[in-house]
Amino acid sequence: MTHPVSTTDIIRAAAQLKAGELVAFPTETVYGLGADASNTDAVRKIYAAKGRPSNHPLIVHVADAVQLANWARDIPPFAHTLAKNFWPGPLTLVLKRNSKVPDAVTGGQDTVAIRVPSHPVAQALLHEFGGGVAAPSANRFGRVSATTAAHVREEFGDTVACVLDGGAADVGIESTIVDCSRATPSLLRPGWITPQQLEAALGAPLAAPGADAPRVSGTLEKHYSPQTPVLLMEGDLVIELAHSLTRQGKRVAVLARTTLQPLIKGLVWKAAPVDPAGYGHELYASLRELDRASCDAILVEQPPDEAVWLAIRDRLSRAAAGSSGNLSQTPPFFGLRI
Ligand code: TXA
Ligand code: MG
């Protein structure tokens, strides 16, 4: 993959961050919309640009684990173990916050989320900037995350002055989030790093997240959604429903995995990679592409119920949440229980 970002771009972007401006930048998971995490006014610009409620906390991105102490306190040994094993990389740790962390970053909670991304452009930017960069995914609130610089432009137009283009994000879905603010670590958001990998590194099982676990906006039921209703189902049902909806004069898009394309006139068909890495890498770009096709529904073939697909199934079910209601008034949805 090429990274068309020059040293000059990095120096300029870091200066913009220091001046309190927003900078969108690539990470290995998805693009982030960054601001100086120590500057409350700058952080507020993120919420305004995204249309995100201000009580939803942001992840602070730093160049290396040494900077943990600038943001967190009472860091437990297991958090260091996770940092050693998975940083830089697609893992976010939620820790007890240090008193210097602005409330705007934490949404007023007593914890802070921290990540050391591995993408070379993110690394270069964080090194040049020197401090922490608060950054949510670079999409408007509730929408599909951006995995290319062009997606960021689609979301924000010119309201974000600087978008660093580091190519298509490798992982393609947001980082795994682990709560390390309590006695035993627990998974708050599944991602490319699986619970099994975390447990292997920890040498102990993760705790089930309790009712008192920190809030994660990515765990809102409806999130990561295209405008077009998304319906998630098994492959044979995809074909059946595609036939039946087209017969009713509806325009249908399909994100298929193993199912072969049926001969249906006007059907918008996208074959997703069969492996989880490839699927995750392309997922959001595919959803955006199918969303642009102005269909009445996007039918998605459900990936298998296996550990390696956990994060992808999580994002798909959130993209689909709330959609079935819209279409369920149209027969034959009643009978199909979707
Ligand atoms: O891969 C990623 O994590 C990307 C890239 C840009 O790093 N970022 C990302 O940020 O996905 P965002 O804001 O879209 O999702 C971060 C999630 C949110 O659901 C937020 O609620 C949660 O992290 N979060 C942030 N701080 C937290 C905290 N102190 N406690 C619990 N959850 C927190
Ligand atoms: Mg997000």
Side-chain angles (χ1 to χ4, degrees):
M1 193 190 301
T2 58
H3 298 292
V5 175
S6 68
T7 313
T8 325
D9 295 330
I10 296 288
I11 293 171
R12 193 174 46 223
Q16 283 173 307
L17 286 172
K18 283 179 193 151
E21 298 304 324
L22 299 183
V23 169
F25 63 99
T27 83
E28 68 280 20
T29 57
V30 298
Y31 274 65
L33 181 62
D36 178 351
S38 63
N39 178 339
T40 296
D41 289 337
V43 171
R44 287 212 181 104
K45 290 183 186 169
I46 295 178
Y47 290 96
K50 272 189 72 104
R52 172 164 165 153
S54 58
N55 63 349
H56 285 219
L58 303 172
I59 297 173
V60 177
H61 298 70
V62 291
D64 52 52
V66 178
Q67 294 187 41
L68 265 183
N70 296 341
W71 303 94
R73 67 180 159 87
D74 305 337
I75 303 166
F78 60 75
H80 287 296
T81 303
L82 292 175
K84 252 192 216 95
N85 276 271
F86 300 107
W87 278 353
L91 177 71
T92 296
L93 302 180
V94 170
L95 294 155
K96 288 195 181 126
R97 74 187 266 195
N98 179 312
S99 59
K100 284 180 288 190
V101 187
D103 278 343
V105 170
T106 66
Q109 303 194 64
D110 60 359
T111 54
V112 61
I114 305 185
R115 177 159 108 80
V116 177
S118 64
H119 193 292
V121 173
Q123 275 288 325
L125 178 67
L126 292 168
H127 274 287
E128 178 63 28
F129 177 63
V133 173
S137 51
N139 54 281
R140 295 192 50 79
F141 183 62
R143 298 291 170 206
V144 177
S145 298
T147 53
T148 66
H151 294 164
V152 180
R153 286 286 178 216
E154 258 171 55
E155 293 289 315
F156 299 107
D158 292 335
T159 54
V160 174
C162 175
V163 181
L164 293 173
D165 186 347
D170 272 345
V171 175
I173 56 172
E174 305 77 2
S175 60
T176 306
I177 305 183
V178 177
D179 177 25
C180 296
S181 68
R182 295 177 304 157
T184 316
S186 65
L187 184 70
L188 294 180
R189 179 174 72 182
W192 181 242
I193 295 172
T194 63
Q196 290 74 12
Q197 286 173 289
L198 296 168
E199 289 177 344
L202 291 165
L206 293 163
D212 59 336
R215 295 189 310 269
V216 180
S217 70
T219 58
L220 291 176
E221 199 195 347
K222 187 165 170 58
H223 211 83
Y224 314 112
S225 293
Q227 316 270 357
T228 316
V230 174
L231 302 170
L232 194 53
M233 64 199 73
E234 302 304 322
D236 44 355
L237 209 52
V238 165
I239 303 289
E240 199 179 317
L241 199 52
H243 272 292
S244 132
L245 284 173
T246 358
R247 251 184 257 122
Q248 294 171 51
K250 303 247 185 264
R251 261 180 73 74
V252 178
V254 173
L255 182 59
R257 217 179 62 86
T258 55
T259 306
L260 294 176
Q261 181 168 5
L263 281 171
I264 299 179
K265 201 161 165 266
L267 189 66
V268 180
W269 186 269
K270 176 100 193 159
V274 288
D275 64 301
Y279 194 108
H281 174 69
E282 287 186 16
L283 174 61
Y284 290 142
S286 302
L287 288 177
R288 279 171 186 273
E289 183 187 322
L290 296 177
D291 206 16
R292 277 196 303 271
S294 312
C295 289
D296 296 296
I298 301 171
L299 312 186
V300 179
E301 183 178 347
Q302 179 73 281
D305 188 5
E306 291 165 7
V308 285
W309 290 97
L310 178 73
I312 288 166
R313 286 170 64 96
D314 170 76
R315 302 310 190 274
L316 286 175
S317 65
R318 291 176 205 292
S323 291
S324 51
N326 299 342
L327 281 169
S328 61
Q329 292 126 7
T330 318
F333 289 97
F334 296 116
L336 289 171
R337 292 158 43 95
I338 47 178

